[in-house]
Amino acid sequence: MTLPAYLSAFLSLPTLALAFFCWRRRHLALALPLATLCLCLALALIFTTPFLLAAEISDPALALAQILFWVGWFIIAITAVICSTLWLVLSWRPLPWPAGRQRLFHVGLVLLWLIFSYLRLFQLELLAGSFEYDPVSHRLLFQLTVLGKCWTFFWGLIQLASLSRLLLNWIQSSSSAQRQQAKWLFLSLSIPLLVAGFLFLPAQLRSTALLYLMPWLLASMPLLMAWTLFGTGLMPHYRSPVFQRLPAAGLVLDQQQRILALNPAAEQLFHVQSDHLEGQPLAQVFPVLKDATDTVIIDGETYSYEVNPLPDRRGLVSGQLIRLWPQISTQPEDQLYQDLEIR
C-alpha cells in the first residue's frame, strides 16, 4: 500500500498547481469551477495517503480508528468533487434557467453537502455501522444503513446527471472541439461515480476495490484533467463573462479568419448558434463582413463595425475581435441645435 499512498501524495501537488492556475484566470467563464474541482480533488488525494498508510498499522484498534478518521474526510472531499463537477458542467453548458433559480440551485447543493458532512463527521452511525478491520488482509468491512445507501445513491445520481449532459454534448455537438472537450471531461469525471459505485458491492469485494483499485483510479484523474485543460482548449482566453455580456455583437476569429466564438448578442443579430459555426471561415458564413469598413448593413439596418487584435495569455496576437453595434443617427440632435441657434 506504500506505493499508491506516496503516489497520491505526489499527485496532489500538481493538482493544487492546476487549481492555482485556474484561480489566477478567474475572469474566465470556467476558471472558478475548475479551480474548485482541482482543489477538492487535491484534498481527496491528500486524505488518501494517510488512509492507505493506516492500513499498514499492526494494531487493529489503532488502525481502525485512523482509517475511519481519514476515510471520513476523504468521502467529504469526494462529495465536494461531485458538487464541483456539476458546477463545472453547468458552467460549460448552462441550463436555460433564470439567474435567480441557478443561484438557488447552487445554494441548495452546498447545503446538502454541509448536511452530509455533518452526518459523516458526527453521526456516522446513521450512515454506516458494524465496522471490522482485518490487519492481515488490510480489509475494512462495514455495512451501509438505509440512510447511507440513500445518500450514496443521491450523490451518485448527481454525478450521473452531470455525465449524462457531457455524453449528450459528446454525441450531439456539431463542433469537433466541443466533442473533444466533452469526451475527455466525461472520462476524467466518471471516476467519482465509479468510487461511489464501489460502496454497493458485496462487503469483501467492496473492501478490495476501495483499498487496491480506488487509489489508482484517483491517481489517473489529475492526469486526465490536465490533458482536458491544456490539450483541448477547455478554458480559452477569450471565454470571459465580459465577452458574453458585451452589449455589442461580438465575434472572435483566429489568425486564419475562422470563427471561434460568438457572444449572445451576435447570435441574436445573425439568428445563429455559435456551436454550429465554430471553425468555419468568416467570409463563407457572413459574406457581408468580408470587406466591411466602418459600417455594415444587416437586415436593412446600419451597424458600426470595429476590428481589434486579440492577444493571448503571452501577449501575442492570436486572432481578432469584431464588434458590431447599431449606428445611432445624429440628425435629430443636429436639428435641435439648429433650432436653438435660430432662437
Side-chain angles (χ1 to χ4, degrees):
M1 304 308 298
T2 305
L3 178 60
Y6 289 137
L7 180 63
S8 298
F10 173 76
L11 288 177
S12 64
L13 297 178
T15 310
L16 286 173
L18 278 179
F20 181 72
F21 172 85
C22 296
W23 172 255
R24 288 289 302 272
R25 289 150 182 83
R26 55 187 178 274
H27 62 282
L28 300 179
L30 299 180
L32 285 179
L34 273 171
T36 305
L37 176 61
C38 292
L39 177 61
C40 296
L41 178 59
L43 292 175
L45 290 170
I46 291 173
F47 296 146
T48 301
T49 301
F51 154 63
L52 295 175
L53 294 178
E56 302 292 333
I57 300 177
S58 56
D59 184 357
L62 180 60
L64 179 59
Q66 290 290 319
I67 289 174
L68 290 180
F69 178 80
W70 291 112
V71 165
W73 285 107
F74 167 78
I75 292 177
I76 291 174
I78 283 293
T79 309
V81 168
I82 293 176
C83 295
S84 304
T85 298
L86 184 60
W87 184 19
L88 173 62
V89 172
L90 293 182
S91 299
W92 184 62
R93 284 294 172 267
L95 292 174
W97 289 356
R101 184 181 297 181
Q102 292 185 22
R103 286 193 294 267
L104 184 63
F105 177 77
H106 293 154
V107 170
L109 197 62
V110 172
L111 288 177
L112 287 174
W113 176 76
L114 291 175
I115 293 173
F116 175 79
S117 301
Y118 171 79
L119 291 176
R120 181 58 189 83
L121 292 176
F122 303 106
Q123 302 291 336
L124 181 59
E125 65 277 2
L126 297 178
L127 302 177
S130 65
F131 293 97
E132 297 179 6
Y133 177 70
D134 185 3
V136 178
S137 61
H138 305 294
R139 289 180 175 177
L140 175 66
L141 303 180
F142 63 92
Q143 295 293 333
L144 292 175
T145 63
V146 175
L147 180 60
K149 291 181 179 179
C150 290
W151 272 102
T152 304
F153 178 77
F154 170 76
W155 291 111
L157 193 62
I158 291 179
Q159 187 72 0
L160 185 61
S162 303
L163 295 177
S164 300
R165 188 161 179 81
L166 286 175
L167 185 60
L168 287 176
N169 279 275
W170 183 2
I171 296 173
Q172 297 178 352
S173 178
S174 58
S175 169
S176 59
Q178 290 183 8
R179 287 197 300 269
Q180 283 288 100
Q181 293 168 4
K183 177 178 70 174
W184 287 103
L185 278 175
F186 180 86
L187 292 176
S188 58
L189 300 180
S190 61
I191 293 175
L193 183 63
L194 295 177
V195 174
F198 291 161
L199 298 177
F200 291 95
L201 296 174
Q204 295 287 340
L205 188 58
R206 175 179 61 218
S207 178
T208 302
L210 291 176
L211 196 59
Y212 295 100
L213 186 58
M214 181 193 68
W216 295 103
L217 287 175
L218 289 178
S220 66
M221 194 171 174
L223 304 178
L224 293 172
M225 287 294 300
W227 170 252
T228 305
L229 181 59
F230 298 110
T232 66
L234 182 64
M235 199 170 61
H237 58 281
Y238 53 82
R239 291 284 189 182
S240 67
V242 175
F243 174 69
Q244 297 297 326
R245 298 169 186 168
L246 198 66
L251 297 86
V252 177
L253 311 178
D254 63 10
Q255 292 181 334
Q256 287 74 39
Q257 294 291 296
R258 293 175 300 193
I259 298 174
L260 295 178
L262 280 75
N263 68 351
E267 293 180 345
Q268 184 177 3
L269 174 62
F270 293 106
H271 308 290
V272 295
Q273 292 186 358
S274 179
D275 299 348
H276 299 159
L277 305 180
E278 186 174 337
Q280 299 188 32
L282 175 69
Q284 176 181 340
V285 179
F286 303 123
V288 68
L289 302 179
K290 180 180 179 181
D291 300 318
T293 54
D294 294 335
T295 60
V296 62
I297 298 177
I298 302 175
D299 294 336
E301 296 186 17
T302 303
Y303 289 82
S304 297
Y305 179 90
E306 185 178 85
V307 181
N308 301 106
L310 189 65
D312 58 13
R313 289 188 294 266
R314 298 169 296 178
L316 302 177
V317 177
S318 61
Q320 293 179 334
L321 171 63
I322 297 178
R323 292 191 301 153
L324 298 162
W325 64 94
Q327 192 175 48
I328 301 176
S329 175
T330 60
Q331 291 181 358
E333 297 178 1
D334 295 341
Q335 184 65 42
L336 176 62
Y337 290 137
Q338 293 176 6
D339 293 341
L340 290 174
E341 289 176 358
I342 293 174
R343 293 179 183 178

